[in-house]
Coordinates of all heavy atoms in Angstrom, one line a residue:
M1 N -93.7 -28.0 106.9 CA -94.3 -26.8 107.4 C -93.6 -25.6 106.8 O -93.8 -25.2 105.7 CB -94.3 -26.7 108.9 CG -93.6 -27.8 109.7 SD -93.7 -27.6 111.4 CE -92.2 -26.8 111.8
G2 N -92.7 -25.0 107.5 CA -92.1 -23.8 107.0 C -91.0 -24.1 106.0 O -90.4 -23.2 105.5
L3 N -90.7 -25.4 105.8 CA -89.6 -25.7 104.9 C -89.7 -25.3 103.5 O -88.7 -24.8 102.8 CB -89.3 -27.2 104.9 CG -88.6 -27.8 106.2 CD1 -88.4 -29.3 106.0 CD2 -87.2 -27.1 106.3
G4 N -90.9 -25.3 103.0 CA -91.2 -25.0 101.6 C -90.8 -23.5 101.3 O -90.1 -23.2 100.4
S5 N -91.2 -22.7 102.2 CA -90.9 -21.2 102.0 C -89.5 -20.9 102.2 O -88.9 -20.1 101.6 CB -91.8 -20.4 102.9 OG -91.6 -20.7 104.3
L6 N -88.9 -21.7 103.1 CA -87.4 -21.5 103.4 C -86.7 -21.8 102.1 O -85.8 -21.1 101.6 CB -86.9 -22.4 104.5 CG -85.5 -22.3 104.9 CD1 -85.2 -20.9 105.4 CD2 -85.1 -23.3 105.8
F7 N -87.0 -23.0 101.5 CA -86.4 -23.4 100.2 C -86.6 -22.4 99.1 O -85.6 -22.0 98.5 CB -87.0 -24.7 99.8 CG -86.3 -25.3 98.6 CD1 -85.1 -25.9 98.7 CD2 -87.0 -25.4 97.4 CE1 -84.5 -26.5 97.6 CE2 -86.4 -25.9 96.3 CZ -85.1 -26.5 96.4
K8 N -87.8 -21.9 99.1 CA -88.1 -20.9 98.0 C -87.2 -19.6 98.2 O -86.7 -19.1 97.3 CB -89.6 -20.5 98.1 CG -90.0 -19.7 96.9 CD -91.5 -19.5 97.0 CE -92.0 -18.6 95.9 NZ -93.4 -18.2 96.1
R9 N -87.1 -19.2 99.5 CA -86.4 -18.0 99.8 C -84.9 -18.1 99.4 O -84.3 -17.2 98.9 CB -86.6 -17.6 101.3 CG -86.2 -16.2 101.6 CD -86.8 -15.7 102.9 NE -86.4 -16.6 104.0 CZ -87.3 -17.2 104.8 NH1 -88.6 -17.0 104.6 NH2 -86.9 -17.9 105.8
N10 N -84.4 -19.3 99.7 CA -83.0 -19.5 99.4 C -82.7 -19.6 97.9 O -81.6 -19.4 97.5 CB -82.5 -20.8 100.0 CG -82.3 -20.6 101.5 OD1 -82.2 -19.5 102.0 ND2 -82.2 -21.7 102.3
N11 N -83.7 -19.9 97.1 CA -83.5 -20.0 95.7 C -83.8 -18.7 94.9 O -83.6 -18.6 93.7 CB -84.4 -21.1 95.1 CG -83.8 -22.4 95.2 OD1 -82.6 -22.6 95.0 ND2 -84.6 -23.4 95.6
E12 N -84.2 -17.7 95.7 CA -84.4 -16.4 95.0 C -83.1 -15.8 94.7 O -82.2 -15.7 95.5 CB -85.2 -15.5 95.9 CG -86.7 -15.7 95.9 CD -87.4 -14.9 96.9 OE1 -86.8 -13.9 97.4 OE2 -88.6 -15.1 97.1
K13 N -83.0 -15.4 93.5 CA -81.7 -14.8 93.1 C -81.9 -13.3 92.9 O -82.8 -12.9 92.2 CB -81.2 -15.4 91.8 CG -80.6 -16.8 92.0 CD -79.9 -17.3 90.7 CE -79.3 -18.7 90.9 NZ -78.8 -19.3 89.7
K14 N -81.0 -12.6 93.5 CA -81.1 -11.1 93.3 C -80.3 -10.8 92.0 O -79.1 -11.1 92.0 CB -80.5 -10.4 94.5 CG -81.4 -10.3 95.6 CD -80.8 -9.4 96.7 CE -81.8 -9.2 97.9 NZ -81.2 -8.5 99.0
E15 N -80.9 -10.3 91.0 CA -80.2 -9.9 89.8 C -79.8 -8.4 89.9 O -80.6 -7.5 90.1 CB -81.0 -10.1 88.6 CG -81.1 -11.6 88.3 CD -81.6 -11.9 86.9 OE1 -81.6 -11.0 86.1 OE2 -82.0 -13.0 86.7
E16 N -78.5 -8.2 89.8 CA -78.0 -6.8 90.0 C -77.9 -6.2 88.6 O -77.2 -6.7 87.7 CB -76.7 -6.8 90.6 CG -76.3 -5.5 91.2 CD -74.9 -5.5 91.9 OE1 -74.6 -6.6 92.3 OE2 -74.3 -4.5 92.0
V17 N -78.7 -5.2 88.4 CA -78.7 -4.5 87.1 C -77.8 -3.3 87.2 O -78.1 -2.4 88.0 CB -80.1 -4.1 86.6 CG1 -80.0 -3.3 85.3 CG2 -81.0 -5.3 86.5
I18 N -76.7 -3.3 86.5 CA -75.8 -2.2 86.6 C -76.0 -1.2 85.4 O -75.9 -1.5 84.3 CB -74.3 -2.7 86.5 CG1 -74.0 -3.6 87.7 CG2 -73.3 -1.5 86.6 CD1 -72.7 -4.4 87.5
E19 N -76.5 -0.1 85.8 CA -76.8 0.9 84.8 C -75.6 1.7 84.5 O -74.9 2.2 85.4 CB -77.9 1.9 85.3 CG -79.2 1.2 85.5 CD -80.3 1.6 84.5 OE1 -80.0 2.5 83.7 OE2 -81.3 0.9 84.4
S20 N -75.3 1.9 83.2 CA -74.1 2.7 82.9 C -74.5 4.2 82.8 O -75.6 4.5 82.2 CB -73.6 2.2 81.5 OG -72.5 3.0 81.2
H21 N -73.7 5.0 83.3 CA -73.9 6.5 83.2 C -73.1 7.0 82.1 O -72.9 8.2 82.0 CB -73.6 7.1 84.6 CG -72.2 6.9 85.0 ND1 -71.7 5.6 85.4 CD2 -71.1 7.7 85.1 CE1 -70.4 5.7 85.7 NE2 -70.0 6.9 85.5
I22 N -72.5 6.2 81.3 CA -71.7 6.6 80.2 C -72.4 6.2 78.9 O -72.7 5.0 78.7 CB -70.3 5.9 80.2 CG1 -69.7 6.0 81.6 CG2 -69.4 6.4 79.1 CD1 -68.6 5.0 81.8
D23 N -72.7 7.2 78.1 CA -73.3 6.9 76.8 C -72.3 7.1 75.7 O -71.6 8.2 75.7 CB -74.5 7.9 76.6 CG -75.7 7.5 77.4 OD1 -75.9 6.3 77.7 OD2 -76.4 8.5 77.9
I24 N -72.3 6.2 74.8 CA -71.3 6.3 73.7 C -72.2 6.2 72.4 O -72.9 5.3 72.1 CB -70.3 5.2 73.7 CG1 -69.4 5.3 75.0 CG2 -69.4 5.3 72.4 CD1 -68.4 4.2 75.1
N25 N -72.1 7.3 71.6 CA -72.7 7.3 70.3 C -71.8 6.5 69.3 O -70.9 7.1 68.7 CB -72.9 8.8 69.8 CG -73.6 8.8 68.5 OD1 -73.8 7.8 67.8 ND2 -74.0 10.0 68.1
T26 N -72.1 5.3 69.2 CA -71.3 4.4 68.3 C -71.4 4.7 66.8 O -70.5 4.3 66.1 CB -71.6 2.9 68.6 OG1 -73.0 2.7 68.5 CG2 -71.1 2.5 70.0
D27 N -72.5 5.4 66.5 CA -72.6 5.8 65.0 C -71.5 6.8 64.6 O -71.0 6.8 63.5 CB -74.0 6.5 64.8 CG -75.1 5.4 64.8 OD1 -74.8 4.2 64.7 OD2 -76.2 5.9 65.0
D28 N -71.1 7.6 65.6 CA -70.1 8.6 65.3 C -68.7 8.2 65.7 O -67.7 8.9 65.3 CB -70.4 10.0 66.0 CG -71.6 10.6 65.4 OD1 -72.0 10.3 64.3 OD2 -72.2 11.5 66.1
C29 N -68.6 7.1 66.4 CA -67.3 6.6 66.9 C -66.5 6.0 65.7 O -67.0 5.1 65.0 CB -67.4 5.6 68.0 SG -65.9 4.9 68.5
D30 N -65.2 6.4 65.6 CA -64.4 5.8 64.5 C -63.3 4.9 65.1 O -62.4 4.5 64.4 CB -63.8 6.9 63.6 CG -62.9 7.9 64.4 OD1 -62.6 7.5 65.6 OD2 -62.6 8.9 63.9
G31 N -63.5 4.6 66.4 CA -62.5 3.6 67.0 C -61.1 4.1 67.1 O -60.2 3.3 67.1
C32 N -60.9 5.4 67.3 CA -59.6 6.0 67.3 C -58.8 5.6 68.6 O -57.6 5.8 68.6 CB -59.7 7.5 67.2 SG -60.3 8.3 68.7
E33 N -59.5 5.1 69.6 CA -58.9 4.6 70.8 C -58.4 5.8 71.8 O -57.8 5.5 72.8 CB -57.7 3.7 70.5 CG -58.1 2.4 69.8 CD -57.0 1.4 69.7 OE1 -56.1 1.4 70.6 OE2 -57.0 0.6 68.8
K34 N -58.7 7.0 71.4 CA -58.2 8.1 72.3 C -58.8 8.0 73.6 O -58.2 8.2 74.7 CB -58.5 9.5 71.6 CG -57.6 9.8 70.5 CD -57.8 11.1 69.9 CE -56.8 11.3 68.8 NZ -57.1 12.4 67.9
C35 N -60.1 7.7 73.7 CA -60.8 7.6 75.0 C -60.3 6.4 75.8 O -60.1 6.5 77.0 CB -62.3 7.5 74.8 SG -62.8 6.1 73.8
T36 N -60.0 5.3 75.1 CA -59.6 4.1 75.9 C -58.2 4.3 76.5 O -57.9 3.9 77.6 CB -59.6 2.9 75.0 OG1 -58.7 3.1 73.9 CG2 -61.0 2.6 74.4
I37 N -57.4 5.1 75.7 CA -56.0 5.4 76.2 C -56.1 6.4 77.3 O -55.3 6.3 78.3 CB -55.1 5.8 75.0 CG1 -54.9 4.6 74.1 CG2 -53.8 6.3 75.5 CD1 -54.4 5.1 72.7
A38 N -56.9 7.4 77.2 CA -57.0 8.5 78.1 C -57.6 8.2 79.4 O -57.3 8.8 80.5 CB -57.7 9.7 77.5
C39 N -58.5 7.3 79.4 CA -59.3 7.0 80.7 C -58.3 6.4 81.7 O -57.7 5.4 81.5 CB -60.4 5.9 80.4 SG -61.2 5.4 81.9
P40 N -58.2 7.1 82.9 CA -57.3 6.7 83.9 C -57.7 5.4 84.6 O -57.0 4.8 85.4 CB -57.3 7.9 84.9 CG -58.6 8.6 84.7 CD -58.9 8.3 83.2
N41 N -59.0 5.0 84.4 CA -59.5 3.8 85.1 C -59.8 2.7 84.2 O -60.5 1.7 84.7 CB -60.7 4.3 85.9 CG -60.4 5.3 86.9 OD1 -59.5 5.2 87.8 ND2 -61.1 6.5 86.8
N42 N -59.4 2.7 83.0 CA -59.6 1.6 82.1 C -61.0 1.2 82.0 O -61.4 0.0 81.9 CB -58.8 0.4 82.6 CG -57.5 0.2 81.9 OD1 -57.3 0.7 80.7 ND2 -56.5 -0.4 82.5
V43 N -61.9 2.2 81.9 CA -63.3 1.9 81.8 C -63.7 1.5 80.4 O -64.6 0.7 80.2 CB -64.1 3.1 82.3 CG1 -65.6 2.9 82.1 CG2 -63.8 3.5 83.7
L44 N -63.0 2.1 79.4 CA -63.5 1.9 78.1 C -62.6 0.9 77.3 O -61.4 0.8 77.6 CB -63.5 3.3 77.4 CG -64.3 4.4 78.1 CD1 -64.0 5.7 77.5 CD2 -65.8 4.0 78.0
I45 N -63.2 0.3 76.3 CA -62.5 -0.7 75.5 C -63.0 -0.6 74.1 O -64.2 -0.3 73.9 CB -62.7 -2.1 76.2 CG1 -61.8 -3.1 75.5 CG2 -64.1 -2.5 76.2 CD1 -61.8 -4.5 76.3
I46 N -62.2 -0.9 73.1 CA -62.7 -1.0 71.8 C -63.2 -2.4 71.5 O -62.5 -3.4 71.6 CB -61.6 -0.6 70.7 CG1 -61.0 0.8 71.0 CG2 -62.1 -0.7 69.3 CD1 -62.0 1.9 70.7
V47 N -64.4 -2.5 71.1 CA -65.0 -3.7 70.7 C -65.7 -3.6 69.3 O -66.5 -2.7 69.1 CB -66.1 -4.2 71.7 CG1 -66.8 -5.5 71.2 CG2 -65.5 -4.4 73.1
E48 N -65.2 -4.4 68.4 CA -65.7 -4.3 67.0 C -65.6 -2.9 66.4 O -66.5 -2.3 65.9 CB -67.2 -4.8 66.9 CG -67.2 -6.3 67.2 CD -68.6 -6.9 67.1 OE1 -69.6 -6.1 66.9 OE2 -68.8 -8.1 67.3
S49 N -64.4 -2.3 66.7 CA -64.0 -1.0 66.1 C -64.7 0.2 66.7 O -64.7 1.3 66.1 CB -64.2 -1.0 64.6 OG -63.4 -2.1 64.0
V50 N -65.5 0.0 67.8 CA -66.1 1.2 68.4 C -65.8 1.1 69.9 O -65.7 0.0 70.5 CB -67.6 1.3 68.2 CG1 -67.9 1.7 66.7 CG2 -68.4 0.1 68.6
S51 N -65.9 2.2 70.6 CA -65.6 2.3 72.0 C -66.8 1.7 72.7 O -68.0 1.9 72.4 CB -65.4 3.7 72.4 OG -65.1 3.8 73.8
S52 N -66.5 0.9 73.8 CA -67.6 0.3 74.6 C -67.2 0.5 76.1 O -66.0 0.6 76.4 CB -67.7 -1.2 74.3 OG -67.9 -1.4 73.0
V53 N -68.2 0.4 76.9 CA -68.0 0.5 78.3 C -67.6 -0.9 78.9 O -68.5 -1.8 78.8 CB -69.2 1.1 79.1 CG1 -69.0 1.2 80.6 CG2 -69.6 2.5 78.5
R54 N -66.4 -1.0 79.4 CA -66.0 -2.3 79.9 C -66.5 -2.5 81.3 O -67.0 -3.6 81.7 CB -64.5 -2.3 80.0 CG -63.8 -3.6 80.5 CD -62.3 -3.5 80.6 NE -61.9 -2.5 81.6 CZ -61.8 -2.7 82.9 NH1 -62.1 -3.9 83.4 NH2 -61.5 -1.8 83.7
D55 N -66.5 -1.5 82.2 CA -66.9 -1.6 83.5 C -67.3 -0.2 84.1 O -66.5 0.6 84.5 CB -65.8 -2.2 84.4 CG -66.3 -2.5 85.8 OD1 -67.5 -2.1 86.1 OD2 -65.5 -3.0 86.6
P56 N -68.6 0.1 84.0 CA -69.1 1.4 84.5 C -68.8 1.7 86.0 O -68.8 2.8 86.4 CB -70.6 1.4 84.2 CG -71.0 0.0 84.1 CD -69.7 -0.7 83.6
Q57 N -68.7 0.6 86.7 CA -68.5 0.8 88.2 C -67.2 1.4 88.6 O -67.1 2.0 89.7 CB -68.7 -0.6 88.9 CG -70.1 -1.1 88.9 CD -70.3 -2.3 89.7 OE1 -69.6 -3.3 89.5 NE2 -71.1 -2.3 90.7
V58 N -66.2 1.3 87.7 CA -64.9 1.9 88.1 C -64.7 3.3 87.5 O -63.7 3.9 87.7 CB -63.7 1.0 87.7 CG1 -63.8 -0.3 88.4 CG2 -63.7 0.7 86.2
C59 N -65.7 3.8 86.8 CA -65.7 5.1 86.3 C -65.8 6.2 87.4 O -66.7 6.1 88.3 CB -66.8 5.4 85.3 SG -66.9 7.0 84.7
K60 N -64.9 7.1 87.4 CA -64.9 8.2 88.4 C -65.6 9.5 87.9 O -65.4 10.5 88.5 CB -63.5 8.5 88.9 CG -62.8 7.3 89.4 CD -63.4 6.7 90.7 CE -62.6 5.6 91.2 NZ -63.4 4.6 91.9
S61 N -66.2 9.4 86.7 CA -66.9 10.6 86.1 C -66.0 11.8 86.0 O -66.4 12.9 86.1 CB -68.1 10.9 87.0 OG -69.0 9.9 87.0
C62 N -64.7 11.5 85.7 CA -63.8 12.6 85.5 C -64.0 13.4 84.1 O -63.5 14.5 84.0 CB -62.3 12.1 85.6 SG -61.9 11.0 84.2
K63 N -64.6 12.7 83.2 CA -65.0 13.2 81.9 C -63.8 13.5 81.0 O -64.0 14.3 80.0 CB -65.9 14.5 82.1 CG -67.2 14.1 82.9 CD -68.2 15.3 82.9 CE -69.4 14.8 83.6 NZ -70.4 15.9 83.7
V64 N -62.7 12.9 81.3 CA -61.5 13.0 80.4 C -61.9 12.4 79.0 O -61.5 13.0 78.0 CB -60.3 12.3 81.0 CG1 -59.2 12.1 80.0 CG2 -59.8 13.1 82.2
C65 N -62.6 11.4 79.0 CA -63.0 10.7 77.8 C -63.8 11.6 76.9 O -63.7 11.7 75.7 CB -63.7 9.4 78.0 SG -65.1 9.6 79.1
M66 N -64.8 12.3 77.5 CA -65.6 13.3 76.8 C -64.8 14.4 76.2 O -65.0 14.8 75.0 CB -66.6 14.0 77.8 CG -67.8 13.2 78.1 SD -68.9 14.1 79.3 CE -69.5 15.4 78.3
A67 N -63.8 14.9 77.0 CA -63.0 16.0 76.5 C -62.1 15.6 75.3 O -61.9 16.4 74.4 CB -62.2 16.5 77.6
I68 N -61.6 14.3 75.3 CA -60.6 13.9 74.3 C -61.3 13.4 73.0 O -60.6 13.4 72.0 CB -59.7 12.9 75.0 CG1 -58.3 13.0 74.2 CG2 -60.2 11.5 74.9 CD1 -57.2 12.4 75.0
C69 N -62.5 13.0 73.1 CA -63.1 12.4 71.9 C -63.3 13.5 70.8 O -63.9 14.5 71.0 CB -64.5 11.8 72.2 SG -65.3 11.1 70.7
P70 N -62.6 13.2 69.6 CA -62.7 14.2 68.6 C -64.1 14.3 67.9 O -64.4 15.2 67.2 CB -61.6 13.7 67.6 CG -61.5 12.3 67.8 CD -61.8 12.1 69.3
N71 N -64.9 13.3 68.1 CA -66.2 13.2 67.5 C -67.4 13.4 68.4 O -68.5 13.2 68.0 CB -66.4 11.9 66.8 CG -65.3 11.6 65.7 OD1 -64.7 12.6 65.2 ND2 -65.0 10.4 65.5
D72 N -67.1 13.9 69.6 CA -68.1 14.1 70.6 C -69.1 13.0 70.8 O -70.3 13.1 70.9 CB -69.0 15.4 70.2 CG -68.2 16.7 70.5 OD1 -67.3 16.6 71.4 OD2 -68.5 17.7 69.8
C73 N -68.5 11.8 70.9 CA -69.4 10.6 71.0 C -69.8 10.3 72.4 O -70.7 9.5 72.6 CB -68.6 9.4 70.5 SG -68.0 9.4 68.8
I74 N -69.0 10.8 73.4 CA -69.2 10.3 74.7 C -69.9 11.3 75.6 O -69.6 12.5 75.6 CB -67.9 9.9 75.4 CG1 -67.1 8.9 74.5 CG2 -68.1 9.3 76.8 CD1 -65.7 8.6 75.0
T75 N -70.9 10.8 76.4 CA -71.6 11.6 77.4 C -71.5 10.9 78.7 O -71.9 9.7 78.8 CB -73.0 11.9 77.0 OG1 -73.1 12.4 75.7 CG2 -73.7 12.9 78.0
V76 N -70.9 11.6 79.7 CA -70.9 11.0 81.1 C -71.8 11.8 81.9 O -71.7 13.0 82.1 CB -69.4 11.0 81.6 CG1 -69.4 10.5 83.0 CG2 -68.5 10.2 80.7
N77 N -72.8 11.1 82.5 CA -73.7 11.8 83.4 C -73.4 11.7 84.8 O -72.7 10.8 85.2 CB -75.1 11.2 83.1 CG -75.6 11.4 81.7 OD1 -75.7 12.5 81.3 ND2 -76.0 10.3 81.1
Ligands
SF4_101 S1 -65.4 9.8 82.9 FE1 -63.2 9.4 83.4 S2 -63.2 7.4 84.5 FE2 -65.1 7.6 83.4 S3 -64.9 6.6 81.5 FE3 -64.4 8.7 81.1 S4 -62.2 9.0 81.4 FE4 -62.8 7.0 82.3
SF4_102 S1 -62.3 8.9 71.4 FE1 -64.4 9.0 70.5 S2 -64.1 8.4 68.4 FE2 -62.3 7.8 69.5 S3 -62.7 5.6 70.1 FE3 -63.3 7.0 71.8 S4 -65.5 7.4 71.4 FE4 -64.7 6.6 69.5

């Protein structure tokens, strides 16, 4: 009777999509690491010679990374 729907409900997986509010223009990034060093929350990491967002959830939107990037690559919304 109700078992089928119960089973189905238990198998539904909620996929959490984490949207990043940090945009990095990797075309202009030269991998200088200034942003990764400056970020107080270790949000950024260099991957394949360009800055990448490691974990947007721990970003406090302080915009230190934006201020320090010499190439204006980073936008924090
Ligand atoms: S806004 Fe601040 S906390 Fe967020 S990535 Fe930039 S430096 Fe780190
Ligand atoms: S400071 Fe700017 S140029 Fe340097 S690694 Fe970060 S995003 Fe790239």
Side-chain angles (χ1 to χ4, degrees):
M1 9 184 263
L3 280 181
S5 57
L6 181 68
F7 185 72
K8 191 177 173 187
R9 197 160 55 235
N10 284 344
N11 276 318
E12 280 176 10
K13 285 189 179 171
K14 279 188 182 173
E15 289 196 13
E16 199 178 336
V17 178
I18 300 168
E19 296 254 345
S20 177
H21 58 293
I22 308 161
D23 287 324
I24 301 175
N25 179 352
T26 51
D27 288 341
D28 291 342
C29 174
D30 59 15
C32 73
E33 297 187 26
K34 286 182 177 162
C35 58
T36 61
I37 293 165
C39 175
N41 300 304
N42 263 333
V43 175
L44 305 169
I45 188 171
I46 301 291
V47 177
E48 294 181 355
S49 302
V50 292
S51 183
S52 304
V53 179
R54 181 185 65 82
D55 185 356
Q57 289 188 304
V58 296
C59 173
K60 305 295 184 212
S61 299
C62 67
K63 302 190 177 179
V64 166
C65 53
M66 277 180 70
I68 206 161
C69 177
N71 300 333
D72 285 335
C73 300
I74 306 176
T75 308
V76 178
N77 296 305

